[in-house]
């Protein structure tokens, strides 16, 4: 099975990063991780980071922008399951200053009175944070472990880079946090205790047969590249791939991330298959989400959730693109003038990705650019696979 998890890298302004762990024996190893969690069906990864941060710490995100991506596979021989987790990291800035979580030179503060604390932790109940509160900053409770409390608990702390040395970090996130991420997928074999986050039993449920047609839930992560030749004769051009069987539907080069694949090797493979060009990778510049109900390529009705990782990068401009894959999803690759994207039949994802690339190139705030694009496009839930 394949799943996606999204996490926030929160900096307090001094260089210290927010780390969380579950006390009361929730993790016997006492490992520290990042706020976030598994992306739910139809949910944008950015929203999972925003919700996880609020639920787990009580802090509100002001901006959330892509940072990096990694992948790991946990083989569970006794269960007969292979779990491939795609991990997405976002840089997060906060509203105000994190006065309620301890950090270097800053003790913990819980500004609620005992009567206000009740049975729920501040970070677990969004209603506990009234936007009209006149607190100097968002507050998150540092939890005292209490095994008798029937609610999830988190211990949070901002840690300076020097404090991370020797700290028991999540084995899946440590390379990304330490700047040692590679294109290789981490592979582990053992029991369910290796999984982080734990596996939701509902994800393993076998569908109950029905006489009525019920759409199958499909979450498909994929990687794409924005490849632009700004110095082309006649104006800037963008490399696009034409969907097989269509006369004029052009999309970004790239495609689905296979089970066990890391996003970057997956993208190199896809660009070679669709355009026959060597890809020089660039940074992750955007992550998009589309959710719709429609027919899959083989006629099955699907409740489809597409997660797209958008990378910058480059390919040689002096080589003619050509499709290498036989009977694949695309049948032509070409450099399309950016001024002609609409008349050529470029899909909405290509327009959005170009806007993200331009924001990255010009150093603009990506979230504002993409929010404008989303407003123009409409709701994330659409009734067509127009991607």
């Amino acid at each position: 099975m394949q799943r996606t998890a999204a996490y926030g890298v929160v900096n307090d302004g001094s260089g210290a990063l927010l780390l969380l762990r579950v006390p009361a024996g929730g993790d016997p190893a006492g490992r520290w991780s990042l706020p976030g969690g598994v992306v739910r069906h139809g949910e944008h990864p950015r929203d999972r980071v925003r919700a996880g941060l609020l639920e787990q710490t009580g802090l509100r995100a002001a901006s959330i922008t892509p940072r990096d991506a990694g992948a790991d596979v946990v083989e569970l021989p006794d269960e007969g399951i292979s779990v491939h987790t795609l991990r997405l990291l976002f840089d997060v800035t906060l509203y105000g200053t994190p006065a309620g979580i301890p950090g270097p030179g800053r003790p913990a503060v819980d500004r609620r009175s005992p009567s206000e604390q009740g049975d729920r932790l501040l970070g677990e109940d969004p209603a506990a944070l009234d936007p009209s509160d006149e607190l100097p900053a968002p507050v998150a409770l540092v939890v005292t472990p209490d095994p008798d409390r029937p609610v999830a608990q988190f211990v949070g702390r901002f840690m300076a880079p020097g404090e991370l040395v020797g700290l028991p970090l999540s084995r899946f996130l440590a390379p990304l946090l330490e700047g040692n991420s590679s294109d290789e997928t981490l592979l582990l074999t053992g029991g369910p205790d290796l999984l982080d986050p734990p596996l939701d039993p509902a994800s393993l449920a076998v569908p109950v047969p029905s006489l009525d047609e019920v759409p199958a839930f499909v979450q498909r992560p994929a990687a794409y590249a924005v490849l632009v030749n700004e110095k082309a004769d006649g104006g800037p051009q963008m490399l696009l791939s034409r969907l097989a069987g269509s006369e004029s539907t052009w999309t970004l080069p790239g495609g689905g991330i296979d089970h066990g694949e890391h996003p970057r090797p997956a993208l190199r493979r896809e660009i070679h298959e669709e355009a026959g060009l060597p890809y020089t990778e660039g940074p992750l510049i955007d992550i998009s989400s589309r959710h719709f109900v429609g027919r899959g390529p083989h006629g099955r009705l699907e409740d489809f959730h597409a997660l797209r990782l958008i990378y910058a990068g480059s390919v040689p401009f002096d080589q003619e693109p050509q499709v290498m894959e036989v009977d694949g999803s695309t049948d032509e690759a070409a450099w399309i003038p950016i001024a002609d994207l609409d008349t050529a039949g470029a899909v909405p994802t290509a327009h959005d990705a170009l806007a993200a690339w331009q924001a990255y190139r010009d150093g603009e705030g990506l979230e504002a650019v993409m929010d404008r694009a989303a407003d123009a496009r409409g709701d994330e839930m659409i009734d067509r696979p127009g991607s």
Side-chain angles (χ1 to χ4, degrees):
M1 66 171 294
Q2 194 175 53
R3 62 179 185 167
T4 302
Y7 304 90
V9 180
V10 185
N11 190 309
D12 71 349
S14 71
L17 300 180
L18 175 60
L19 295 178
L20 305 177
R21 67 178 175 86
V22 181
D27 179 1
R31 289 179 293 239
W32 293 80
S33 187
L34 297 170
V38 174
V39 178
R40 299 168 185 172
H41 188 78
E43 183 179 46
H44 196 296
R46 200 167 52 218
D47 293 334
R48 173 48 27 207
V49 172
R50 181 177 288 108
L53 184 65
L54 180 63
E55 293 164 2
Q56 295 163 4
T57 72
L59 298 174
R60 290 190 182 87
S63 68
I64 304 174
T65 54
R67 175 188 177 104
D68 203 353
D72 51 80
V73 172
V74 176
E75 302 285 356
L76 306 176
D78 291 344
E79 288 76 11
I81 301 171
S82 176
V83 182
H84 177 208
T85 304
L86 178 67
R87 299 186 190 271
L88 311 178
L89 262 64
F90 293 80
D91 284 316
V92 178
T93 60
L94 300 174
Y95 286 113
T97 56
I101 296 183
R106 184 177 62 249
V109 177
D110 180 8
R111 300 183 185 277
R112 299 176 299 162
S113 68
S115 62
E116 291 173 327
Q117 293 180 17
D119 292 330
R120 292 182 66 81
L121 306 178
L122 180 61
E124 293 179 302
D125 187 359
L129 282 172
D130 185 345
S132 64
D133 284 350
E134 308 213 355
L135 297 176
V139 174
L141 180 63
V142 177
V143 182
T144 301
D146 181 359
D148 296 326
R149 208 167 195 176
V151 292
Q153 300 180 12
F154 294 89
V155 169
R157 178 176 173 80
F158 282 91
M159 297 190 184
E163 295 182 273
L164 301 182
V165 179
L167 193 72
L169 297 173
S170 165
R171 72 191 75 195
F172 304 111
L173 297 175
L176 295 171
L177 278 176
E178 296 167 353
N180 298 323
S181 63
S182 70
D183 292 355
E184 297 183 1
T185 298
L186 176 64
L187 178 62
L188 298 174
T189 301
D193 58 304
L194 290 177
L195 292 170
D196 178 20
L199 197 62
D200 180 2
S203 64
L204 302 178
V206 178
V208 178
S210 171
L211 295 178
D212 298 323
E213 187 174 25
V214 177
F217 288 94
V218 177
Q219 187 180 77
R220 179 180 181 266
Y224 298 90
V226 181
L227 303 169
V228 176
N229 182 359
E230 294 189 272
K231 298 181 180 180
D233 294 339
Q237 298 178 342
M238 187 174 182
L239 183 64
L240 296 178
S241 297
R242 189 177 66 183
L243 295 180
S246 72
E247 294 184 0
S248 60
T249 301
W250 294 85
T251 188
L252 295 170
I257 300 170
D258 291 341
H259 184 88
E261 264 190 318
H262 189 287
R264 287 193 289 267
L267 182 55
R268 286 197 295 269
R269 171 182 56 76
E270 287 284 349
I271 292 176
H272 174 73
E273 291 174 354
E274 295 183 1
L277 298 174
Y279 167 66
T280 300
E281 68 183 46
L284 178 66
I285 60 174
D286 189 32
I287 297 173
S288 70
S289 173
R290 296 288 186 278
H291 182 203
F292 56 86
V293 176
R295 297 285 175 184
H298 302 291
R300 183 178 67 167
L301 184 63
E302 296 178 341
D303 184 336
F304 194 83
H305 182 201
L307 294 172
R308 300 185 179 92
L309 281 64
I310 310 297
Y311 287 85
S314 63
V315 294
F317 299 142
D318 58 353
Q319 296 182 29
E320 193 68 23
Q322 58 178 328
V323 178
M324 307 298 290
E325 185 180 26
V326 178
D327 296 328
S329 60
T330 63
D331 58 14
E332 185 177 348
W335 290 98
I336 306 295
I338 288 177
D340 298 338
L341 291 186
D342 283 326
T343 56
V347 299
T349 297
H351 289 275
D352 293 350
L354 178 61
W357 178 84
Q358 291 169 334
Y360 158 73
R361 179 198 61 187
D362 299 337
E364 293 184 44
L366 173 61
E367 195 166 36
V369 172
M370 300 317 296
D371 283 345
R372 289 199 301 272
D375 289 342
R377 186 175 57 243
D379 293 338
E380 290 289 346
M381 178 65 178
I382 57 178
D383 59 3
R384 56 175 176 77
S387 56

